[in-house]
Amino acid sequence: MNWLCRSKRRLTVVNSSFSLFTNVLGQLRTATKRAGGTIKNNGSSPGKRLGVKKFTDEFVRPGAIIVRQRGTKFHAGQHVLMGRDHTLYAAVPGFVRFYVQTAGRFSRRYVGLVLDKTEKLPRDEAAHGRSRYFGLVELNGVEPATY
């Protein structure tokens, strides 16, 4: 059905659906952004399997992944190294420990390894000395040989 629309100069015949919008709204709005279309790879990519892989008191061997992460949620502590993708892995065999150190108003979460299951981190190096791992040789507490 066609309607007559009045303009200032002349009468014109317009399609009814178009004239309904112009009569009700007074104007016809058009899109201000283009249509986005569909996304081909949305939601179908696999998860990255991030997170903590070894927990407190678990024994790990050298090279074992302890934490997979993006950025530094956890920092490398004693006997732990960080890969280029921020993965934390064990440098020596030992037991995993998680601990927090504060410096002023900032605090960081650390992951470290202890050689003895009864040790705690952070280690008091003044009282206990440095924790060193040399394969099967125990050097902590052993007097050096004098010739």
Side-chain angles (χ1 to χ4, degrees), residues 101-113:
Q101 277 188 330
T102 59
R105 32 179 217 159
F106 300 106
S107 63
R108 280 186 171 182
R109 295 188 289 182
Y110 286 90
V111 180
L113 291 179

Side-chain angles (χ1 to χ4, degrees), residues 3-7 10-15 18-19 22-23:
W3 296 81
L4 285 175
C5 291
R6 292 184 186 203
S7 84
R10 62 179 180 213
L11 291 174
T12 57
V13 177
V14 184
N15 190 4
F18 181 78
S19 64
T22 55
N23 287 340

Side-chain angles (χ1 to χ4, degrees), residues 23-95:
N23 287 340
V24 172
L25 299 176
Q27 62 185 4
L28 181 65
R29 289 194 64 181
T30 58
T32 56
K33 293 196 178 218
R34 296 183 61 175
T38 60
I39 301 172
K40 288 185 180 180
N41 198 24
N42 187 20
S44 63
S45 59
K48 302 302 177 220
R49 276 75 172 175
L50 302 177
V52 177
K53 305 301 179 191
K54 299 289 181 182
F55 296 92
T56 300
D57 289 338
E58 281 194 58
F59 182 79
V60 292
R61 295 180 179 178
I65 293 175
I66 302 170
V67 178
R68 302 254 324 170
Q69 59 185 351
R70 295 289 175 259
T72 52
K73 288 189 166 200
F74 294 95
H75 293 269
Q78 173 179 296
H79 301 303
V80 174
L81 300 175
M82 184 181 293
R84 68 179 194 185
D85 64 343
H86 300 107
T87 297
L88 299 180
Y89 62 95
V92 301
F95 298 94

